[in-house]
Amino acid sequence: MSERSSIANMLKEERKFAPPAELAAHANVKADAYERAREDRLGFWAEQARRLSWETEPTETLDWSNPPFAKWFADGKLNVAYNCVDRHVEAGNGDRVAIHFEGEPGDSRSITYAQLKDEVSRAANGLIELGVGKGDRVAVYLPMIPEAVTAMLACARIGAMHSVVFGGFSADAIAARIADADAKVVITADGGYRRGKPSALKPAVDAAVSRFETVEHVVVVRRTGEDTAWTEGRDVWWHELTERQSAEHTPEAFEAEQPLFILYTSGTTGKPKGILHTSGGYLTQASFTHHAVFDLKPETDVYWCTADIGWVTGHSYIVYGPLSNGATQVMYEGTPDTPHQGRFWEIIQKYGVTILYAAPTAIRTFMKWGDDIPAKFDLSSLRVLGSVGEPINPEAWMWYRKNIGHDKTPIVDTWWQTETGSMMISPLPGVTETKPGSAQTPLPGISATVVDDEGNEVGNGGGGYLVLTEPWPSMLRTIWGDDQRFIDTYWSRFEGKYFAGDGAKKDEDGDIWLLGRVDDVMLVSGHNISTTEVESALVSHPAVAEAAVVGAADQTTGQAIVAFVILRGSATESEDLVADLRNHVGATLGPIAKPKRIMAVAELPKTRSGKIMRRLLRDVAENRELGDVTTLTDSSVMDLIQSKLPASGGSDD
């Protein structure tokens, strides 16, 4: 066996799944879309732009005269909020439910497009009353409640930029984002519900805002009813502000390149990067990809994206993509195990969800909890499953298909980033013969490939770096306030190409397999080994429910592979099991990929968005003082992990 086998061979046999015949016959996007886009890429995107309502139709598709600064549909004018609400009401669909909201305590409400239009109009008028106008920045720090959607659309309606800050971030993180964007108003809540109890939000905002004189107002949504500190003259209740407004507001059309939002990437080191997205191109691609990749039928589908509004997935596939398409969707406030571990499946059963979009971390958690939990619920309404956020290992992919999709639903494993704005690589559910664990091919109109260290495209079976070779409509326009950092970060590694920061490989069919961030690629004795590949190999062992792998400094090999694993219920840690796991990885990927140390842990350190904080595990593996733990769901996890040191890891060979 070669030192590193292809991901495609991680499972004992390679499996492919053809699209269901009925779905393929009636799919929104068919195979000919690839050919049309290849023949005339810009014409293809101009065609997708016509899915939107423009006050001034664009005649120019792409201005790439000053790369890497793109302009898409620059002479066109539209209003993003009008495209997401008003036009559906005008088309006679005002009674269609836009959002089925499910609160963690069990409260629920359904909001129609007509009601959403009125709420967005009132909020827009309220922001105008507070002095917010075109080009101003509004920070949004809210739980997963409908007011978060309303606030974002209200900003878009009046030409203000929103900067949504994830509701789990600390006062320091909020302050850094407010300062960088120079936000004029902050919209927050008294709190939200999480794990069965109220979780206050406003204290963090108060602590952040106290550092600035630039924030003129803090608008507060009453969600939990808990006592809330108040600053007279600055703080305003959302309900009081909006209830005194008219439900009539005439949206103004803005240029397609009007900035829509800033979203900060939560990097582990250095100043957060404010990713700037604009209006026409972003909405075109978010809308098209939501329509194409999920095969959305707005008259009959009930769609649920389980992401948080604070991440780009929430922006593109809870707010702008679904609502621009007139979708009916579910929005859930809380955690998947409150009040019980079947909460997600209970919600799917309650609303008849047909399309589910979730993260591999969540899927692996459900695996760990057991097959019997989803089996208690009626999931027969599901017809398309999606994956987002990180590469999904084949074992989790297969579990997802079998236990949630009942071996019939296609899985769309999507690759994209905050920076790309919308999906870039994904199967199409009515076209693609899918492979467990592969994002597969660039979507129509997208030019992506894998290159080597010199920037040369690799052949089938080769690995290297994922790059984008042509501009795309929803691409970031710059890093807010720092054009040079934008160039240096994304465009300097390979001339004329956008470097995504991800490693990837092509299989023998030319399909793309993501290997995770390049900084998650370990260099062991001169060999590049992806953390994702080792994690997938570990999780394919019947004793392992979840795994996280890091490279730790090693005097002999440069880096040594250190693995942290959560064992399945019946498995217990032992030297024999550790040896078996090491041998299993060696048999799957080759001897060079055997972890030097394997540590069984009860939990892994995760942010509230479900991302594993590998840098903290690297701190543990290298016996360093822990870095910042403020974004973790539960920082005590790190105490438990450290208490297990030193770990036995078996012999080196």
Side-chain angles (χ1 to χ4, degrees):
M1 175 183 282
S2 64
E3 288 179 339
R4 298 176 66 212
S5 63
S6 160
I7 291 184
N9 294 321
M10 277 186 178
L11 299 179
K12 295 301 182 186
E13 57 187 86
E14 184 164 338
R15 300 173 220 190
K16 298 180 182 179
F17 298 92
E22 185 176 351
L23 192 155
H26 300 98
N28 288 347
V29 178
K30 304 249 186 348
D32 67 333
Y34 293 100
E35 188 59 36
R36 285 189 287 118
R38 275 193 294 270
E39 289 176 353
D40 183 3
R41 188 174 61 87
L42 296 185
F44 175 83
W45 284 119
E47 176 187 331
Q48 304 318 315
R50 289 191 286 273
R51 302 181 70 254
L52 305 179
S53 296
W54 298 79
E55 182 170 288
T56 303
E57 292 276 349
T59 62
E60 180 182 336
T61 302
L62 170 65
D63 178 353
W64 192 234
S65 59
N66 182 31
F69 300 97
K71 294 179 181 178
W72 283 86
F73 315 117
D75 61 347
K77 289 187 176 182
L78 80 171
N79 185 282
V80 170
Y82 174 87
N83 273 275
C84 292
V85 285
D86 305 59
R87 66 173 179 155
H88 306 311
V89 178
E90 292 172 7
N93 295 316
D95 291 338
R96 179 184 297 164
V97 172
I99 299 170
H100 289 297
F101 171 68
E102 185 78 11
E104 193 187 75
D107 58 316
S108 60
R109 53 187 161 127
S110 293
I111 303 163
T112 67
Y113 273 94
Q115 291 168 332
L116 184 60
K117 174 182 174 293
D118 289 350
E119 289 303 310
V120 171
S121 295
R122 289 191 178 98
N125 287 328
L127 288 174
I128 291 169
E129 178 187 310
L130 297 180
V132 178
K134 177 181 177 180
D136 287 333
R137 275 79 65 199
V138 175
V140 178
Y141 183 72
L142 286 170
M144 282 291 291
I145 57 177
E147 288 81 1
V149 177
T150 302
M152 293 166 71
L153 290 173
C155 291
R157 195 173 187 89
I158 64 174
M161 286 174 261
H162 55 73
S163 171
V164 181
V165 182
F166 173 57
F169 276 166
S170 65
D172 287 345
I174 301 166
R177 287 155 175 79
I178 289 173
D180 191 70
D182 195 18
K184 191 173 186 177
V185 168
V186 180
I187 301 174
T188 188
D190 53 2
Y193 289 95
R194 195 154 188 93
R195 302 197 184 281
K197 59 185 180 181
S199 174
L201 288 180
K202 188 165 182 287
V205 171
D206 288 339
V209 170
S210 67
R211 307 175 195 184
F212 310 104
E213 296 181 357
T214 54
V215 176
E216 298 174 7
H217 295 284
V218 175
V219 183
V220 187
V221 177
R222 180 179 282 157
R223 169 60 181 147
T224 65
E226 300 282 292
D227 289 340
T228 302
W230 206 254
T231 301
E232 291 297 333
R234 184 199 72 184
D235 295 352
V236 183
W237 284 111
W238 169 276
H239 62 275
E240 292 180 357
L241 176 66
T242 58
E243 285 171 6
R244 64 173 176 255
Q245 307 300 329
S246 167
E248 297 300 319
H249 177 272
T250 303
E252 177 186 348
F254 300 105
E255 297 83 0
E257 285 297 320
Q258 167 73 17
L260 179 62
F261 65 85
I262 304 166
L263 185 57
Y264 288 87
T265 56
S266 51
T268 55
T269 58
K271 178 183 174 184
K273 303 188 293 288
I275 304 303
L276 179 67
H277 283 289
T278 56
S279 301
Y282 168 80
L283 190 63
T284 293
Q285 192 171 334
S287 184
F288 166 70
T289 51
H290 182 263
H291 164 82
V293 172
F294 296 118
D295 191 49
L296 179 84
K297 307 291 195 284
E299 300 81 8
T300 54
D301 277 321
V302 178
Y303 164 82
W304 183 18
C305 171
T306 66
D308 191 278
I309 211 83
W311 308 116
V312 73
T313 305
H315 285 51
S316 299
Y317 298 109
I318 293 176
V319 182
Y320 294 112
L323 295 178
S324 68
N325 288 326
T328 295
Q329 66 179 317
V330 170
M331 185 176 188
Y332 174 54
E333 177 183 34
T335 56
D337 58 352
T338 306
H340 55 81
Q341 292 177 335
R343 187 66 187 273
F344 270 31
W345 321 125
E346 181 180 66
I347 290 171
I348 290 171
Q349 178 177 279
K350 176 178 178 178
Y351 293 105
V353 171
T354 59
I355 303 166
L356 178 65
Y357 196 31
T361 297
I363 296 163
R364 289 191 291 267
T365 299
F366 300 142
M367 285 177 64
K368 180 175 66 175
W369 291 346
D371 303 356
D372 59 314
I373 295 175
K376 297 172 185 174
F377 298 90
D378 180 4
L379 307 182
S380 61
S381 59
L382 289 167
R383 69 181 194 90
V384 177
L385 299 175
S387 169
V388 61
E390 59 184 301
I392 183 170
N393 54 296
E395 186 81 3
W397 194 104
M398 290 296 299
W399 185 92
Y400 196 26
R401 177 182 168 90
K402 177 185 176 185
N403 292 278
I404 310 306
H406 298 301
D407 277 326
K408 62 183 177 64
T409 54
I411 295 177
V412 287
D413 175 16
T414 63
W415 176 85
W416 58 295
Q417 302 174 309
T418 302
E419 293 88 343
T420 70
S422 303
M423 298 171 187
M424 304 292 283
I425 303 173
S426 171
L428 286 177
V431 176
T432 313
E433 188 178 54
T434 55
K435 300 174 181 178
S438 173
Q440 298 199 249
T441 56
L443 289 167
I446 300 301
S447 302
T449 191
V450 181
V451 299
D452 62 19
D453 287 304
E454 283 72 47
N456 302 309
E457 184 171 6
V458 303
N460 292 353
Y465 307 94
L466 185 67
V467 296
L468 304 170
T469 59
E470 297 286 354
W472 62 99
S474 66
M475 64 194 292
L476 78 164
R477 296 306 191 255
T478 190
I479 292 173
W480 176 254
D482 200 339
D483 287 350
Q484 190 58 49
R485 189 181 183 193
F486 166 64
I487 296 168
D488 294 343
T489 303
Y490 302 108
W491 300 92
S492 62
R493 177 71 182 270
F494 301 109
E495 185 176 355
K497 299 179 178 70
Y498 171 93
F499 175 42
D502 283 341
K505 63 178 11 173
K506 294 180 182 178
D507 64 20
E508 296 305 326
D509 298 326
D511 287 334
I512 293 174
W513 298 72
L514 275 300
L515 301 178
R517 302 295 298 169
V518 168
D519 55 15
D520 287 336
V521 173
M522 302 166 291
L523 189 65
V524 180
S525 298
H527 299 269
N528 287 321
I529 300 174
S530 161
T531 58
T532 301
E533 287 188 298
V534 181
E535 289 165 1
S536 291
L538 284 163
V539 173
S540 70
H541 189 283
V544 177
E546 193 166 359
V549 168
V550 296
D554 186 274
Q555 288 184 336
T556 305
T557 59
Q559 282 188 306
I561 300 172
V562 180
F564 300 81
V565 299
I566 298 175
L567 299 177
R568 291 188 182 271
S570 59
T572 56
E573 185 178 9
S574 67
E575 288 189 11
D576 287 346
L577 177 59
V578 168
D580 187 39
L581 292 177
R582 294 183 72 248
N583 290 333
H584 177 73
V585 173
T588 305
L589 297 176
I592 193 70
K594 283 187 180 182
K596 183 173 183 179
R597 293 159 61 201
I598 297 178
M599 190 187 308
V601 295
E603 293 292 341
L604 293 168
K606 295 176 184 174
T607 66
R608 289 248 313 250
S609 69
K611 293 208 171 184
I612 297 169
M613 293 292 280
R614 288 177 179 81
R615 67 174 169 82
L616 294 176
L617 295 176
R618 201 173 292 116
D619 290 342
V620 170
E622 296 185 343
N623 200 27
R624 287 197 304 263
E625 182 178 347
L626 290 181
D628 180 24
V629 297
T630 57
T631 59
L632 291 181
T633 302
D634 180 6
S635 59
S636 67
V637 168
M638 295 310 301
D639 297 330
L640 293 172
I641 292 174
Q642 286 185 304
S643 71
K644 290 185 65 73
L645 292 172
S648 65
S651 61
D652 298 341
D653 57 326

